[in-house]
Amino acid sequence: MTASAEQPLLAIDAVGKRFGGVIALDDVSFSVGAHSVVGLIGPNGSGKTTLLNVINGVFAADHGEVRLSGIRIDRKRSCELAATGLTRTFQAARVFRTLAVRQNLFIPLLHQSALDRTAASARANELLELVGLTKHAESIASEISGGQQRLLEFARALVSRPRLVLMDEPFAGVHPQIKTLLVRCIRDSVAREGTSFIIVSHEVPDLVAMSDFMVCLVEGRTAATGSPATVIQNERVIEGYLGRA
Amino acid sequence: MLSLFFLPSSDNGSTRLRRLLVWLALSIALIVYGVVGRQLFLLSTLSTVFLYVVLTQAWNILGGYGGYLNFGMVTFFGVGAYTSAVLFQYFELSPFLTAPVAGLASAVLGVLIGIPTLRIRGAYFALVTMIITFAVQTLVLDMPVTQGALGVYLQPVRLSPLGVEQLFYFLFLGCAVAVTALVYAIEHSNFGWALIAIREDEDAAEIVGVRTVEVKWIANAVAAFIAGVVGGLYAQRIMYIEPSGTFAFDISLNVVLMAVVGGAGTWQGPLIGAPLVLLVADMLRVTVTSEVNRAIFSVIVILIALFIPGGVMGVWTRWRRRHKPKTVEAPS
Ligand SMILES: Nc1ncnc2c1ncn2[C@@H]1O[C@H](COP(=O)(O)OP(=O)(O)O)[C@@H](O)[C@H]1O
Ligand SMILES: [Mg+2]
């Protein structure tokens, strides 16, 4: 594991979730260390999005525990988790469409009591710069391209300096240039701000390159966890997801 | 939660000031007319406009900014009216005194109704709020304390006919100005931005830290309070209330139309929409005497909703954006 042995940033312990007859998650356990990237892979329908939803309070787990820095979070609301530094992006970018790009970045800051207007502006500008949207700061969010909306959503997740960001298929259907930019931004915030990420993606080579740790789900179970190299060579992962070349 | 003026505005200070001055001048003109005006009919019509401005602004908080289309604003209004009327009936308390109590009664109802309904999104929310109006109306018809279909009588205010009109003219004008100021403050506050985020994408709002449930509740309760207060005053104004007129769906519908036509989610929208809708409705009533006028009216409104997004304010904002010089972009 990437975390120091005593207390990981996020600990997922025997989490289970079913929808009617479908077992979406079955005893999933792993942990995420501080300033690290965890790559989450698995075939469609294997429970990746459900796991993110459970971690971030959209669904309650049927059983098991999720802890953030040792504190139980599996019965908390998403908005409470945002305040403790856990946020996410969605499988399809979801921005506040009629607001200006810059205004989108203010929404997560509304709830930070310590932050004043000047500091908020400075922080927003910093992120606009990071994701290359400075020129579009005053554009209406629905009027920028899909790829730019993804960058905006990413910036919106980071603006409040979260400790952990969950990203659901951030590279699906985006232009290679934007993908490169996203990857660079993720690396940058791990290195500079100590943010951790759980990234769901089917772009296995990219994920292998950027992850410190990987998890593969197959039919709701953890088929393998470990270093990227070991996970992609794991028999069950090849069998259940990657297929034989 | 309502820390003000947190977000930098896109307007610069001087244009904002100039635009505020226009509204200020209008308010002064209305005050002057209230003092010197002698036409009872016009005073009374304007009072009705002010009353609708209040209701539409109240609706605007959750509906315009938050995107939750309440088609049952009249529930809060009616409960306020009945609260004051019943308090007069049994304790001889003047509605002028009990209007705040009427507001509280509505706010309590708003909070209670909010628990189940604010979890419902989209068209179902609109439908449920409509159904609740009928439920409350039925309750009022059946409860002994409200005297069912008989209604409740109040005592006339001891003033000349002109004095009465002036009194309500200024009362409703005062409420309209106060509520508009409140909505203006909300629009420029963190609370307002939280509502807008909910309207744009409630899940995303929640995930970036907006306490969506609380924000919606507060918005609904504040709207209910305001509608309840003017409901109480309205009871005194018409001096007799009964369930079908007090809980008329037409009132709920008018409120939504006024917001949509003027521009929902802007503090100016109700100021434009309320007089405009009442004017068009009156013109139709005069020119098309049959029941068809309501249908024509609805068609006009649907066309506006479909083809003029953002109502009058939307047109104005788009026009302005096209005609103002581009904001200076940071060098890249
Ligand atoms: N809200 C839901 N209601 C019912 N079933 C769901 C829901 N979300 C996910 N599922 C089911 O759970 C399983 C896992 O889905 P998901 O987590 O979306 O997979 P992935 O993101 O790995 O493609 C699927 O069988 C899916 O149909
Ligand atoms: Mg998924």
Side-chain angles (χ1 to χ4, degrees), chain A residues 44-45 47-50 91 168-169 200 202:
Chain A
N44 284 326
K48 305 181 296 296
T49 298
T50 304
Q91 198 159 341
D168 202 351
E169 306 206 13
V200 171
H202 291 293

Side-chain angles (χ1 to χ4, degrees), chain A residues 135 138-139 143, chain B residues 320-329:
Chain A
K135 270 197 306 201
E138 312 307 331
S139 306
E143 288 167 3
Chain B
R320 216 180 37 173
R321 200 183 312 146
R322 221 170 305 138
H323 286 81
K324 88 173 174 193
K326 272 248 166 253
T327 45
V328 186
E329 284 169 358

Side-chain angles (χ1 to χ4, degrees), chain B residues 22-279:
Chain B
V22 172
W23 291 108
L24 198 66
L26 181 67
S27 311
I28 291 171
L30 287 171
I31 290 170
V32 170
Y33 182 75
V35 175
V36 304
R38 290 290 172 268
Q39 294 88 342
L40 293 189
F41 171 74
L42 193 53
L43 284 169
S44 149
T45 305
L46 284 170
S47 301
T48 305
V49 172
F50 303 151
L51 172 65
Y52 267 113
V53 167
V54 175
L55 289 175
T56 308
Q57 289 289 24
W59 181 92
N60 204 17
I61 301 172
L62 182 65
Y65 297 98
Y68 273 74
L69 306 189
N70 184 345
F71 273 78
M73 245 350 243
V74 78
T75 313
F76 301 138
F77 176 75
V79 165
Y82 262 94
T83 303
S84 277
V86 166
L87 284 175
F88 175 77
Q89 171 95 354
Y90 292 90
F91 305 104
E92 303 218 349
L93 294 169
S94 159
F96 295 124
L97 295 175
T98 59
V101 181
L104 282 179
S106 289
V108 168
L109 181 73
V111 167
L112 292 179
I113 288 178
I115 294 170
T117 57
L118 289 172
R119 305 157 67 97
I120 314 167
R121 296 184 190 176
Y124 291 104
F125 178 77
L127 201 65
V128 169
T129 53
M130 218 147 65
I131 292 167
I132 287 172
T133 301
F134 295 118
V136 172
Q137 188 180 36
T138 310
L139 209 64
V140 168
L141 263 170
D142 288 344
M143 284 194 309
V145 67
T146 51
Q147 309 191 125
L150 279 179
V152 184
Y153 286 90
L154 291 101
Q155 214 163 45
V157 185
R158 266 190 280 273
L159 283 174
S160 68
L162 178 65
V164 172
E165 287 307 338
Q166 283 178 323
L167 175 65
F168 284 104
Y169 180 95
F170 280 112
L171 264 178
F172 288 141
L173 176 60
C175 289
V177 171
V179 174
T180 300
L182 174 71
V183 170
Y184 179 86
I186 288 175
E187 182 172 317
H188 293 83
S189 73
N190 291 11
F191 181 67
W193 284 95
L195 279 167
I196 291 170
I198 288 171
R199 177 186 73 201
E200 295 301 309
D201 191 326
E202 190 163 345
D203 295 326
E206 172 90 17
I207 263 145
V208 299
V210 177
R211 302 186 72 90
T212 55
V213 176
E214 290 86 343
V215 169
K216 290 185 291 180
W217 263 1
I218 293 170
N220 196 44
V222 170
F225 177 82
I226 295 167
V229 170
V230 290
L233 296 175
Y234 169 84
Q236 178 61 66
R237 183 188 182 202
I238 65 164
M239 290 183 302
Y240 166 67
I241 58 168
E242 46 75 43
S244 66
T246 310
F247 291 96
F249 177 64
D250 260 16
I251 298 175
S252 289
L253 191 62
N254 278 340
V255 166
V256 180
L257 302 182
M258 287 165 179
V260 169
V261 167
T266 65
W267 64 271
Q268 302 97 324
L271 303 179
I272 300 166
L276 202 59
V277 168
L278 286 176
L279 191 70

Side-chain angles (χ1 to χ4, degrees), chain A residues 6-206:
Chain A
E6 53 273 18
Q7 193 173 99
L9 177 62
L10 183 80
I12 297 160
D13 187 14
V15 162
K17 175 75 192 169
R18 55 195 303 166
F19 296 104
V22 179
I23 300 173
L25 296 172
D26 189 1
D27 266 342
V28 174
S29 303
F30 65 91
S31 53
V32 180
H35 45 85
S36 63
V37 175
V38 169
L40 180 56
I41 56 174
N44 284 326
S46 60
K48 305 181 296 296
T49 298
T50 304
L51 181 60
L52 298 194
N53 282 334
V54 166
I55 295 172
N56 121 297
V58 175
F59 300 141
D62 297 336
H63 56 80
E65 293 181 2
V66 184
R67 291 170 192 274
L68 188 67
S69 298
I71 297 164
R72 281 282 294 264
I73 61 166
D74 43 278
R75 287 292 178 273
K76 290 206 168 141
R77 293 161 58 189
S78 305
C79 57
E80 295 168 328
L81 296 176
T84 64
L86 172 60
T87 186
R88 73 179 288 182
T89 63
F90 293 90
Q91 198 159 341
R94 291 171 77 165
V95 296
F96 302 121
R97 296 178 58 82
T98 68
L99 301 190
V101 166
R102 184 197 300 284
Q103 288 173 333
N104 265 265
L105 299 186
F106 285 132
I107 303 297
L109 298 176
L110 293 176
H111 318 282
Q112 302 212 326
S113 43
L115 212 69
D116 65 13
R117 196 163 142 166
T118 328
S121 278
R123 180 64 180 154
N125 287 340
E126 197 182 318
L127 275 147
L128 287 171
E129 194 67 40
L130 178 74
V131 299
L133 287 177
T134 306
K135 270 197 306 201
H136 301 281
E138 312 307 331
S139 306
I140 300 301
S142 63
E143 288 167 3
I144 60 176
S145 75
Q148 287 169 332
Q149 290 187 16
R150 245 171 219 275
L151 291 168
L152 174 58
E153 194 194 27
F154 177 74
R156 189 184 66 194
L158 286 188
V159 74
S160 54
R161 301 182 201 278
R163 292 185 284 168
L164 177 62
V165 181
L166 316 177
M167 299 185 76
D168 202 351
E169 306 206 13
F171 311 128
V174 307
H175 192 277
Q177 244 175 325
I178 286 180
K179 186 169 95 180
T180 313
L181 183 55
L182 267 177
V183 171
R184 199 167 69 220
C185 291
I186 292 168
R187 288 218 166 100
D188 183 89
S189 42
V190 175
R192 286 209 315 203
E193 309 213 347
T195 319
S196 290
F197 290 85
I198 298 180
I199 300 172
V200 171
S201 178
H202 291 293
E203 320 245 330
V204 177
D206 291 298

